[in-house]
Amino acid sequence: MPRPDVIEMNPPRPPGFPGFGWGGWVILILILVASARSIASAWIDYAWWRELGQTETWGQTILYGWLPNLAAGLLVFPIFWILYLRARSRFQTGSDIWKLGAGLIASLVFGAVLIDNWTVARFYGATASANDAWRDPVFSHPIGFYFFQLPFYEMLLRYLQGILIVGFVIYWLTSRFDSLRERFSQMDPQEGIDLSGLNLGDVLRGPSVRVVIALFFLLLAARTWLGRYDVLFSDHGFLVGADYVDIRVVLPLVWTLVGACVIGALLVLARRLGMAVLLVLVVYAAGAVLPKIVNALSVRPNEISLQKPYIEQHIDATRSAFGLGSQLTERDFPARIGGSFEPAKHQALLNNVRLWDWQAFHDTITQIQALRPYYVFADTDVDRYPGPDGELNQVLLSPRELDVRQLPDAQSRWINPHFIYTHGYGMVMADANGITPDGLPELLIKDAPLVAVASAPKVTRPELYYGEATHEPVFVRTAQPEFNYPSGTENVHSKYQGQGGIPIDGLLMRFAASVAEGDWNILLTDYLTADSRMLIRRNVIKRVDTLASFVSWDEDPYLVVSQDGRLIWMIDGYTAHSMHPYSRSVNTPYGRLNYMRNSVKATVDAYDGSVHLYAWDEKDPVLAAYRQLFPKLFQPAGTLPADLRAHARYPETFFRVQAEMYRTYHMKDPEAFYNREDPWDFAQTAEGIDGRPEQVRPTYVMATLPGEAKPEFILLTTFTPRNKQNLIGLMAARCDGTRLGEIEVLRLSKQELIFGPMQIAARINQDQNISKDLSLWNQQGSKVIKGQMLVLPMDDQFLYVEPIYIKATNAPMPEMKKVAVGLGSVIGYGDTYAEALAQLGGRGTPSAPSSSPAAAPVTTNNPPAGSDPRLEKVRSRMRRYRELMGQGKFVDAARELEALEGEMK
């Protein structure tokens, strides 16, 4: 026996609190090991957000991501626990303490299932969009109500219904738990369990249950009340939104059903459950049958007259939802075929026509400018920069990036992709219409180190650490020099001088990076120093998407040279939704949507990775809500530096969606829209594989819109009538200056037949000289490639330009061979653009004034004895022609060529 005066050193633990022995420690260690990568990744993630100066946004993202679920679970837990306690005959501490924990976990799961965190967050941030200009014509709510408030109310209603149903089940099962447990314990396997005395009818007659059912009827009334907004999204085929039947029949029936549900709740409390159910079912049946009867007997025979105002509302809403409202201008364009050609008047336009199709250019520079197999040109973009004369000059630009997968030892030698081959170098820039005598692009910026002509933009930081073709992580400022660019048989090395990346100087940070990346070499390598930095999320799309995942980012970032010579990526971002009342939805790269805006523009420095997001469309309610949630994330559009704003452009992806909608919704007359009298198609051309027709792609061009004095950078697409090939419309999005974002549509007359791209292509192919050349070149190991045909407005007619390239089958490097042009019914065709253009001059081309240097007679002083003065004139004009071609003055060159032909007659 123990002595009574000896104090027991290990008194027994209170019931319900088990000891934390070796098993508990093992479990704890296993949990820590299993979560180690998540913890390390979170640490690295925080360091990345700190690198970009957005730790506040990072914290807000986490807060909005889990707080609503947590709050919903904690709010419902006391309700469920009180119901449980009321159903229990007594409270037992030892057994119920575990049920308390289980109930808390179950409540948190309940909140996570029924509450969408971002629906709550957007509702919280939607106060900034309360004064939207657009309001629906039925309830007069702003668009923000349907984007943020209505989804929140519907979710809240589901949450309350879930509480009611789950609470009832908890109460009923708990109150009968002892009886059920006893019956299960006494169950005879042969006879089964006896459930007599537990039928639901007895339960439904209880006073507490009647209150629950009455509440259910009231919640049904609330759901029906919210359901009346569904008529604004109903699809009737010829229109989306509320139509005649919805307004005159469906909405009154909805209010009737709301009243029936409220009356049903009172009947349930009065012990008339059957009568309540019957009343609601009768109204439901009427709501299912009456609209169809009214539509068949009254609306269908007079549909166009009765539905006309609702069709107008649908057209207006759809155009507004896709930005085809006030920012779009439509004008009738009196184009004709038989106009005159005045080169002098359109010299700026003609000298800036793009002759290099982006695909042909990309394939060519991949062969002549890649320098090494590991360099790639992921994309080619069209932009504009000031030329030698200060006027905007259209250029093509391709960044030279590094694809580590092309390195033979990239996988076998860990140091290569992580320490040595860390970045791309420079870019290739060319005049959009510059062609060498060999049929190759005239490059403004090329090679490594960069070589540039005097008029080209100056590049001071050619290294590309962030781009489209990237791998990660890479480490900079290490003991290992980085490869910069090749130089002959040697390589030039460099050391990173920027502030981008995450400091990885400490052992703890290196350990975290090793765990997060699953690569222990990061911890064990000796190349990292106290100054080293780790670069992650180097893909520019992934970089901005991590910062603002609620924005749909364009898949085509483009590179810009800033005024101080840095390389800056520019990326367009879209906000979109599928809950715009009355609007028709359309398939987009981001899903099926009925609302879209180009509301964000982002810049990413290619050297240090710094990111800036600009609120481009400050009227957009979606962006306004997120700006309320993340006040430090976006900057005003006016803070975008002027040198970068000069390169902002209208995004092609958004333009494609708008053009897709406009080809139907250009019909604003309800009767024409109802009967589909004038649907348009996108123009087609026969540039596709094997000459099969394909849709003309929107393209960036320098063009002069009617009424303007000089060319501007625009994004352009063309339309034809349904199942026809003649041109019926041209849609242009402006990109320059304060007019960026404006859309202009030229509507052509239906009485005047204007050739479309397919018809001009057919005329080119049918020309005897052209078809003979094409047939010859498509043989003997070569292939003809036609560039995209450009359609450019010029006075009251259109100029068509189609470059023709030849590519050897065993060497994918297209060379410019011929140029075909069209004006009205006349086709020009020549070895050069100037030659082809000169062939259009016979149609009213004015003679050049004698004071024009390009057209003035060229004479020689004191010709040598025996020389032929006429021959000297021909030689002089030929020299002048070549000079003008080299300077890109194609109009003057065409004039010189005409004069040359006159001398030779």
Side-chain angles (χ1 to χ4, degrees), residues 208 496 711 725:
S208 299
Y496 184 68
Q725 296 299 337

Side-chain angles (χ1 to χ4, degrees), residues 820-842:
V821 297
L823 188 69
S825 59
V826 177
I827 300 297
Y829 175 69
D831 292 333
T832 66
Y833 171 54
E835 290 180 8
L837 205 61
Q839 296 177 27
L840 306 179

Side-chain angles (χ1 to χ4, degrees), residues 593-611:
L593 306 167
N594 68 1
Y595 172 88
M596 192 173 182
R597 288 288 187 273
N598 174 215
S599 53
V600 179
K601 290 189 184 292
T603 63
V604 182
D605 192 298
Y607 189 73
D608 64 24
S610 57
V611 180

Side-chain angles (χ1 to χ4, degrees), residues 685-704:
T685 185
E687 305 160 11
I689 299 174
D690 299 327
R692 292 194 301 267
E694 68 176 17
Q695 181 179 303
V696 173
R697 304 182 303 272
T699 184
Y700 293 99
V701 298
M702 293 294 295
T704 306

Side-chain angles (χ1 to χ4, degrees), residues 419 476-480 495 504-506 510 526-533:
F419 287 84
V476 295
R477 294 189 188 174
T478 67
Q480 170 63 50
K495 187 173 184 179
I504 192 166
D505 49 347
R510 290 174 61 175
D526 293 330
Y527 287 106
L528 294 176
T529 68
D531 198 32
S532 297
R533 305 179 80 86

Side-chain angles (χ1 to χ4, degrees), residues 78-223:
I79 300 174
F80 290 163
W81 187 247
I82 291 172
L83 290 173
Y84 167 77
L85 293 180
R86 286 181 61 85
R88 291 285 288 167
S89 58
R90 63 186 179 278
F91 179 75
Q92 298 176 343
T93 304
S95 61
D96 283 345
I97 194 67
W98 291 106
K99 291 185 179 119
L100 184 69
L104 180 59
I105 294 174
S107 298
L108 294 176
V109 171
F110 177 88
V113 170
L114 290 181
I115 296 296
D116 178 73
N117 292 318
W118 286 101
T119 297
V120 178
R122 286 188 290 265
F123 173 79
Y124 168 74
T127 55
S129 62
N131 297 316
D132 301 329
W134 190 91
R135 290 177 178 265
D136 76 272
V138 178
F139 304 105
S140 194
H141 287 313
I143 191 175
F145 173 83
Y146 298 99
F147 286 0
F148 311 117
Q149 297 174 12
L150 182 60
F152 175 78
Y153 296 147
E154 291 176 336
M155 182 196 66
L156 183 61
L157 193 56
R158 290 193 298 270
Y159 177 71
L160 295 176
Q161 289 173 330
I163 293 176
L164 191 65
I165 295 171
V166 174
F168 171 75
V169 171
I170 290 174
Y171 184 85
W172 185 78
L173 289 178
T174 305
S175 62
R176 285 153 179 79
F177 179 76
D178 291 336
S179 298
L180 289 171
R181 183 175 56 182
E182 181 178 351
R183 296 187 187 208
F184 271 107
S185 64
Q186 298 174 359
M187 181 182 67
D188 186 340
Q190 301 297 326
E191 298 181 2
I193 186 172
D194 180 15
L195 295 177
S196 60
L198 296 175
N199 61 69
L200 191 59
D202 293 338
V203 177
L204 296 179
R205 283 188 284 271
S208 299
V209 176
R210 286 200 302 273
V211 173
V212 172
I213 298 175
L215 288 174
F216 181 81
F217 270 83
L218 292 177
L219 288 176
L220 182 61
R223 177 66 189 90

